[in-house]
Amino acid sequence: MSEAIDLSHHLSLLARSRKASPLKDILAYLHYPGMVSLAGGLPHPALFPFANIDVEVYNPGSDLSSLVSSDTTHISVPKVNTEGGVSLAVALQYADVSGMRALLKYAREFTQLVCSPAYKNWDVLINCGNTDGWTKAVGLLCEPGDYILVEEYTFSSAQYLWIPMGCKGAPIKMDAEGLRADHLDEVLTTWDTTHPGVKKPHVLYATPTGQNPTGTLMPDKRKQEVYDVCVKHDIIIVEDDPYYFLQLAPYVLNAPASTPTAYSQSAHLASLEKTFLNIDVQGRVIRLDSFSKTVAPGSRIGWFTANPLFTERLLRASEVTTQTPSGWSQGIIIRLLDEWKLGGFLQWLHGLAAEYQKRRDWMCDGLAASFDVQPSTHDASLTAYLKGTQTRLFTFVPPRAGMFVWLKVFLHENKQYQEMKGKLEEPELDYEKMLWQDMADAKVLLSSGNFFLPWEGKEKMDREENVIFFRLSYSMTSKEAMQAAVQRMADVFAGAWS
Amino acid sequence: MSEAIDLSHHLSLLARSRKASPLKDILAYLHYPGMVSLAGGLPHPALFPFANIDVEVYNPGSDLSSLVSSDTTHISVPKVNTEGGVSLAVALQYADVSGMRALLKYAREFTQLVCSPAYKNWDVLINCGNTDGWTKAVGLLCEPGDYILVEEYTFSSAQYLWIPMGCKGAPIKMDAEGLRADHLDEVLTTWDTTHPGVKKPHVLYATPTGQNPTGTLMPDKRKQEVYDVCVKHDIIIVEDDPYYFLQLAPYVLNAPASTPTAYSQSAHLASLEKTFLNIDVQGRVIRLDSFSKTVAPGSRIGWFTANPLFTERLLRASEVTTQTPSGWSQGIIIRLLDEWKLGGFLQWLHGLAAEYQKRRDWMCDGLAASFDVQPSTHDASLTAYLKGTQTRLFTFVPPRAGMFVWLKVFLHENKQYQEMKGKLEEPELDYEKMLWQDMADAKVLLSSGNFFLPWEGKEKMDREENVIFFRLSYSMTSKEAMQAAVQRMADVFAGAWS
């Protein structure tokens, strides 16, 4: 195993220009015996109006079917901790922007166990969640006006960061296994002829697990193919992977409910598709892990794993922008993880995935009940027909991870759309909006597919004819409400295709 | 009272280019009766592994002389709050990036009471503390390469944000009352002749209360003069005011200890110098308030007060970069403030200021004990001489706010420096470093004055001859350690001036 290769040429001008604050140089002197510091600017912890916090936390194996579990234990953070553990006096003070030492240590151990990065000198850095992580990754790597490689359908909030910078997306086609390595290679190989005089992209934004919006899970083999293309074309991969532990068993149409088996950590870890980090022999992956989907979004905590050149530059950016994430969040999360131990956290994650799998099945079963659903002969997708008819409405791939189902709706047999074609400039967009509104009027709220189309500039974006998209989330709704919502969708489809 | 004037021409290209996420448009439909949403991407709160938190918080009048007060009460945040108050199910969820509604409401009421902005349609927006606030203000207003108006000695971390953007500081001279309005006017009036072809600055970064590093407090009259100059030259004022409530009574040399009087909210508020917001008839102030010095820095929460055009653009930036601050921080702080009520919080702030005043007095008394200290005949400054000699060492203005004493050290009678002059390119900087090291070797750590010089570009920066600076903080050290540290300084001075 070797060290990361030199990737310094990927740094933006801004990232290269950052300097460490000179105030930091003082820190080395602080711990000299007998030293009295008049150098800092810290409020005295005696002036923090808190004496203790006590948090009632779930045990890792808690039953998650009710809103509040009673299978709990208590963790606390005292003002002062003479045993060297987390204290409010430290957690609520200005602090090392890398993150609390205990949390960094945990992130390192966790990453080693789960991702086993394929090079030696990787490092981790705490951030304020993956939105913050992506913001800092873009600041690290991108110049205004750059093209960024993105999936054909991409997480819309991520691009709302770089659109105002004058950046554009270079979309990479996807299939049921995520973004296609062959198309990535084609886009990059032909770049200079398809985009004469335009700087070649050098950053790929990818969400390989439970991709938002498509719900695809990229298998190990595909990851290796994508990685190889990135090596060939010298691309940095930003692996935004908040749903990594929400990997789900394949959906089986009309399957009986499965009985849960006893938890085994080794079986659990072995069941997971690997990460880009696992195969990152060169250090060209910036992985974004988050506690948002595994603990709670309001924690606003995640971490980078990357080569040390990148983490150092990211740290410089954090120092002058966000500083450290909330000390409340860090303190509570590290105490929770301490309490659970690594094994307990993994068991918790396994339980979470089971919960998402149950919900995924509710959704897919609901679709199978309200539509006539047929499996494909050549891939994992299902096709839905208007109940009792041969009218093909949409296909979807039952998600293998995350919280989203992505419907590709066919308009070939939709009269209203066919009448709009040729008369309107963007008939797919307009019809998608109309159908969305019909759904909303029928009391079912979807996410419009056009939200997830990569921004390629003001010129009219190429849209496939005769198709529109909707994203359905199964994370928040009860089984009954989900069934009702899907039936309302079926009724709207029936009306619109009549 | 009128509305803010149109200041849209101050927005940066980036700020003007931001768009609201289309996902936000869906929110309006969410609350229709009977609606089932499959649109969001929220994890179910049943999957947050927390049942309750209980925080032992100080009462507003707590004695702050020990590290942990026993004058406390308990606040809690349950998973579910059927009475509509703060709950973990909401606080730990993805949320409106403006900030929790209760916290926004509090910030509005507090700002109205304390700052009574002088125009009608001001608004507030929660951020992740003033470092984040300043980052977003720079993003809102500044282009790469801009000059930014800063105080003659300025908070170093603030400029480490914009230096990598290729920005430069345009320093405004200061006196014992903070930055000088006449010099601000002069710099701006003569800009086109002093900086031909260079874009005139349009943003002033100012820390009017307990200025870092000088500890000055800008009186109301000076604020009005500065504001008038900003109106004349169309300047946006970013008022970074974390120490606002740490305003201290004037220091009296060798005064007996004062006896505390009963707390009166009206007397307290009347005793405070006003803010730039109080006189902001046009809406050209972006005020940054923070809980870092008033509650705890680790909370990473503050808020903007600004005209609604600015807060809306700042919100767009927050949505795609930091998102909302930690839900733990927001939930705990709003429950604390609920518990205390506005009056209790003000009483707490008054108690904090008393604590800082005590520490300020320890520091100034210590200086008066270890040096021969003489008052000035024309301003509030004190001059320190080597004990028992006529050797003038430094002057300082006993701080009227905040946590810093700023020493202006005279090198006229320092032989070593005088020998370095003419031989070295930057003798002041070099001698400051030497003296800093001598202090560190004597076990007293100071902040070097050069950290606080505004960055004006790579060309050698003009430094005043025969003077260097040190910043001393009195916030963290016990009385005894402070006295010892000041005596060590005196010993180093004695050696260096011998």
Side-chain angles (χ1 to χ4, degrees):
Chain A
M1 195 179 284
S2 55
E3 305 219 319
I5 64 171
D6 179 9
L7 295 164
S8 55
H9 55 285
H10 285 280
L11 295 175
S12 70
L13 175 61
L14 183 69
R16 276 180 278 128
S17 306
R18 293 194 190 281
K19 296 214 167 39
S21 165
L23 290 167
K24 306 278 181 287
D25 296 341
I26 295 180
L27 290 176
Y29 288 86
L30 260 182
H31 301 290
Y32 280 34
M35 183 65 82
V36 179
S37 174
L38 306 176
L42 309 182
H44 198 284
L47 310 183
F48 304 164
F50 305 102
N52 187 54
I53 59 170
D54 175 284
V55 188
E56 187 183 350
V57 302
Y58 290 15
N59 290 319
S62 279
D63 172 26
L64 297 175
S65 57
S66 66
L67 189 49
V68 190
S69 170
S70 55
D71 178 11
T72 60
T73 189
H74 286 259
I75 58 173
S76 65
V77 185
K79 180 72 165 267
V80 181
N81 193 329
T82 47
E83 290 158 32
V86 186
S87 70
L88 294 180
V90 173
L92 299 183
Q93 187 55 278
Y94 287 110
D96 183 346
V97 175
S98 316
M100 279 177 56
R101 222 170 307 168
L103 195 56
L104 279 171
K105 183 165 173 285
Y106 195 94
R108 278 199 193 93
E109 288 172 10
F110 187 85
T111 301
Q112 180 59 55
L113 178 67
V114 174
C115 306
S116 315
Y119 66 107
K120 229 181 344 192
N121 57 336
W122 55 276
D123 204 358
V124 300
L125 176 69
I126 305 298
N127 60 36
C128 305
N130 284 15
T131 303
D132 178 51
W134 173 235
T135 299
K136 288 171 179 165
V138 169
L140 181 80
L141 301 168
C142 299
E143 303 292 350
D146 273 4
Y147 274 80
I148 297 173
L149 298 158
V150 295
E151 288 137 334
E152 184 177 7
Y153 312 105
T154 189
F155 177 39
S156 52
S157 296
Q159 66 176 356
Y160 273 79
L161 173 77
W162 49 254
I163 293 172
M165 293 169 58
C167 292
K168 293 178 183 177
I172 305 303
K173 290 209 165 70
M174 303 177 73
D175 60 20
E177 299 191 334
L179 73 96
R180 279 171 39 200
D182 64 314
H183 189 245
L184 179 64
D185 190 32
E186 182 190 324
V187 165
L188 290 166
T189 303
T190 61
W191 186 265
D192 290 338
T193 49
T194 56
H195 296 75
V198 175
K199 182 181 159 194
K200 195 171 159 180
H202 68 121
V203 175
L204 168 64
Y205 173 74
T207 54
T209 314
Q211 202 264 353
N212 185 351
T214 65
T216 50
L217 170 64
M218 189 184 285
D220 293 351
K221 181 163 171 293
R222 175 66 60 85
K223 285 207 183 83
Q224 186 66 56
E225 291 161 2
V226 169
Y227 187 82
D228 292 344
V229 173
C230 290
V231 169
K232 176 180 169 190
H233 293 281
D234 190 19
I235 304 296
I236 302 297
I237 302 171
V238 182
E239 177 177 37
D240 183 7
D241 216 5
Y243 308 108
Y244 180 71
F245 279 94
L246 306 184
Q247 297 189 31
L248 317 174
Y251 174 71
V252 181
L253 197 55
N254 303 318
S258 63
T259 47
T261 51
Y263 178 69
S264 146
Q265 182 178 308
S266 56
H268 177 207
L269 289 176
S271 75
L272 299 171
E273 296 295 336
K274 298 301 175 218
T275 69
F276 275 115
L277 263 192
N278 289 79
I279 54 173
D280 184 20
V281 292
Q282 296 192 324
R284 61 173 62 254
V285 173
I286 300 177
R287 181 174 165 81
L288 305 179
D289 273 290
S290 168
F291 289 108
S292 288
K293 306 303 189 297
T294 59
V295 176
S299 303
R300 308 308 319 132
I301 298 206
W303 74 91
F304 298 100
T305 309
N307 70 61
L309 173 79
F310 285 2
T311 55
E312 189 272 343
R313 294 285 88 189
L314 290 164
L315 174 59
R316 294 287 91 82
S318 296
E319 282 167 354
V320 296
T321 56
T322 57
Q323 294 195 22
T324 183
S326 158
W328 292 108
S329 295
Q330 291 193 78
I332 290 168
I333 285 197
I334 191 60
R335 283 292 297 112
L336 174 72
L337 298 175
D338 272 356
E339 182 67 29
W340 279 357
K341 307 278 182 297
L342 200 47
F345 187 38
L346 287 167
Q347 186 189 352
W348 165 257
L349 295 171
H350 189 261
L352 271 190
E355 194 61 29
Y356 277 89
Q357 186 161 316
K358 190 173 77 184
R359 291 161 182 272
R360 188 268 322 260
D361 290 351
W362 292 346
M363 173 67 84
C364 293
D365 290 349
L367 290 167
S370 295
F371 299 86
D372 283 344
V373 168
Q374 297 296 333
S376 159
T377 53
H378 64 283
D379 66 16
S381 69
L382 299 175
T383 300
Y385 298 83
L386 201 57
K387 195 100 181 164
T389 76
Q390 296 300 313
T391 308
R392 189 177 65 146
L393 295 173
F394 56 85
T395 60
F396 65 101
V397 179
R400 289 292 317 282
M403 47 174 78
F404 303 115
V405 174
W406 181 240
L407 304 189
K408 181 175 187 173
V409 179
F410 301 104
L411 302 178
H412 303 77
E413 301 176 59
N414 183 287
K415 285 179 209 147
Q416 193 169 9
Y417 163 77
Q418 294 299 336
E419 282 168 18
M420 290 161 73
K421 264 173 80 172
K423 295 184 194 154
L424 297 174
E425 208 174 322
E426 301 182 289
E428 293 80 21
L429 179 63
D430 291 330
Y431 187 73
E432 188 178 285
K433 284 183 180 170
M434 285 176 57
L435 194 57
W436 185 89
Q437 189 63 55
D438 287 346
M439 299 278 184
D441 292 344
K443 302 280 170 68
V444 54
L445 222 49
L446 310 180
S447 282
S448 281
N450 70 79
F451 296 171
F452 304 97
L453 298 182
W455 171 252
E456 298 178 72
K458 273 192 183 168
E459 51 278 20
K460 185 178 174 308
M461 303 208 273
D462 281 340
R463 279 195 65 145
E464 197 179 340
E465 261 183 61
N466 293 312
V467 294
I468 59 174
F469 299 88
F470 291 105
R471 189 194 75 177
L472 280 53
S473 165
Y474 48 82
S475 59
M476 271 296 272
T477 315
S478 70
K479 185 176 181 180
E480 294 67 32
M482 218 184 284
Q483 288 171 337
V486 170
Q487 185 53 48
R488 289 173 196 173
M489 284 173 54
D491 295 341
V492 172
F493 272 110
W497 264 252
S498 66
Chain B
M1 194 179 283
S2 54
E3 305 219 320
I5 64 171
D6 179 9
L7 295 164
S8 56
H9 55 285
H10 285 280
L11 295 175
S12 70
L13 175 61
L14 183 70
R16 275 179 280 128
S17 306
R18 293 194 190 282
K19 296 214 167 38
S21 165
L23 290 167
K24 306 279 181 289
D25 296 341
I26 295 181
L27 290 176
Y29 288 86
L30 261 182
H31 301 290
Y32 280 34
M35 184 65 83
V36 178
S37 174
L38 306 176
L42 310 182
H44 198 284
L47 310 183
F48 304 164
F50 305 102
N52 187 55
I53 59 171
D54 175 284
V55 189
E56 187 183 350
V57 302
Y58 290 16
N59 290 319
S62 279
D63 172 27
L64 298 175
S65 57
S66 66
L67 189 49
V68 191
S69 170
S70 54
D71 178 11
T72 61
T73 189
H74 286 259
I75 59 174
S76 65
V77 185
K79 180 71 166 268
V80 182
N81 193 328
T82 47
E83 290 158 32
V86 186
S87 70
L88 294 180
V90 172
L92 299 184
Q93 187 55 278
Y94 287 110
D96 183 346
V97 175
S98 315
M100 278 176 57
R101 222 171 306 169
L103 195 56
L104 279 170
K105 182 165 173 283
Y106 194 94
R108 278 199 193 93
E109 288 172 9
F110 188 85
T111 301
Q112 180 59 54
L113 178 67
V114 173
C115 305
S116 314
Y119 67 106
K120 230 181 343 193
N121 57 336
W122 56 276
D123 204 357
V124 300
L125 176 69
I126 305 298
N127 60 36
C128 304
N130 284 14
T131 303
D132 178 51
W134 173 235
T135 299
K136 288 171 179 166
V138 168
L140 181 79
L141 301 168
C142 299
E143 303 292 350
D146 273 4
Y147 274 79
I148 297 173
L149 298 158
V150 295
E151 289 138 334
E152 184 177 8
Y153 312 105
T154 189
F155 177 40
S156 51
S157 296
Q159 65 176 356
Y160 273 79
L161 173 76
W162 49 254
I163 293 171
M165 293 169 58
C167 292
K168 293 178 182 176
I172 305 302
K173 291 208 165 70
M174 303 178 73
D175 60 20
E177 299 191 334
L179 73 96
R180 279 171 38 200
D182 65 313
H183 189 245
L184 179 64
D185 190 31
E186 183 190 323
V187 165
L188 290 166
T189 302
T190 62
W191 186 265
D192 290 338
T193 49
T194 56
H195 296 75
V198 175
K199 182 180 159 195
K200 195 171 159 180
H202 69 121
V203 175
L204 169 64
Y205 174 74
T207 55
T209 313
Q211 201 265 351
N212 185 350
T214 65
T216 49
L217 170 64
M218 189 184 286
D220 293 351
K221 181 163 172 293
R222 175 66 60 85
K223 285 207 183 82
Q224 186 65 57
E225 291 161 2
V226 168
Y227 187 82
D228 292 344
V229 173
C230 290
V231 169
K232 176 179 168 190
H233 293 281
D234 190 19
I235 303 296
I236 302 297
I237 302 171
V238 182
E239 178 177 37
D240 183 7
D241 216 5
Y243 308 108
Y244 180 71
F245 279 95
L246 306 184
Q247 297 189 30
L248 317 174
Y251 173 72
V252 181
L253 197 55
N254 303 318
S258 63
T259 47
T261 52
Y263 178 69
S264 146
Q265 181 178 309
S266 56
H268 176 207
L269 289 176
S271 75
L272 299 171
E273 297 294 336
K274 298 300 175 218
T275 69
F276 274 115
L277 263 192
N278 289 79
I279 54 173
D280 184 20
V281 292
Q282 296 192 324
R284 60 172 63 253
V285 173
I286 300 177
R287 181 173 165 82
L288 305 179
D289 274 289
S290 168
F291 289 108
S292 288
K293 307 303 189 295
T294 59
V295 176
S299 304
R300 306 309 318 131
I301 297 206
W303 73 90
F304 299 100
T305 309
N307 70 62
L309 174 78
F310 285 1
T311 55
E312 189 272 343
R313 294 285 89 190
L314 291 164
L315 174 59
R316 294 286 92 81
S318 297
E319 282 167 355
V320 295
T321 56
T322 57
Q323 294 195 22
T324 183
S326 158
W328 292 109
S329 295
Q330 291 194 77
I332 290 168
I333 285 197
I334 191 60
R335 283 292 297 112
L336 174 72
L337 298 175
D338 272 356
E339 182 67 29
W340 279 357
K341 308 277 182 298
L342 200 47
F345 186 39
L346 287 167
Q347 186 189 353
W348 165 257
L349 295 171
H350 190 260
L352 271 191
E355 194 62 28
Y356 277 89
Q357 186 161 316
K358 190 173 78 184
R359 290 162 183 272
R360 188 269 321 262
D361 290 351
W362 292 347
M363 173 67 84
C364 293
D365 290 349
L367 290 166
S370 295
F371 299 87
D372 284 345
V373 168
Q374 298 296 332
S376 159
T377 53
H378 65 283
D379 67 16
S381 69
L382 299 175
T383 301
Y385 298 83
L386 201 57
K387 194 99 181 165
T389 75
Q390 296 300 313
T391 308
R392 189 177 66 146
L393 295 173
F394 56 85
T395 61
F396 65 101
V397 179
R400 289 292 316 283
M403 46 174 78
F404 303 115
V405 175
W406 182 240
L407 304 189
K408 180 175 188 173
V409 180
F410 300 105
L411 302 178
H412 304 77
E413 301 176 60
N414 183 287
K415 285 179 209 146
Q416 193 170 8
Y417 163 77
Q418 294 299 335
E419 282 168 18
M420 289 161 73
K421 264 173 79 171
K423 294 183 194 155
L424 297 174
E425 208 174 322
E426 301 183 288
E428 293 81 21
L429 180 63
D430 291 330
Y431 187 73
E432 188 178 285
K433 284 182 181 170
M434 286 177 57
L435 193 58
W436 185 90
Q437 189 63 55
D438 287 347
M439 299 278 184
D441 292 344
K443 302 279 170 69
V444 53
L445 221 48
L446 310 180
S447 282
S448 281
N450 71 79
F451 296 171
F452 304 96
L453 298 182
W455 170 252
E456 298 178 73
K458 273 192 182 167
E459 51 278 20
K460 186 177 174 307
M461 303 209 272
D462 280 341
R463 280 195 65 145
E464 196 179 341
E465 261 183 60
N466 293 312
V467 294
I468 59 174
F469 299 88
F470 291 105
R471 189 194 75 176
L472 280 53
S473 165
Y474 47 83
S475 59
M476 271 297 272
T477 316
S478 69
K479 185 176 182 180
E480 294 66 33
M482 217 184 285
Q483 288 171 336
V486 171
Q487 185 53 48
R488 289 173 196 173
M489 284 174 55
D491 295 341
V492 172
F493 272 110
W497 265 253
S498 66

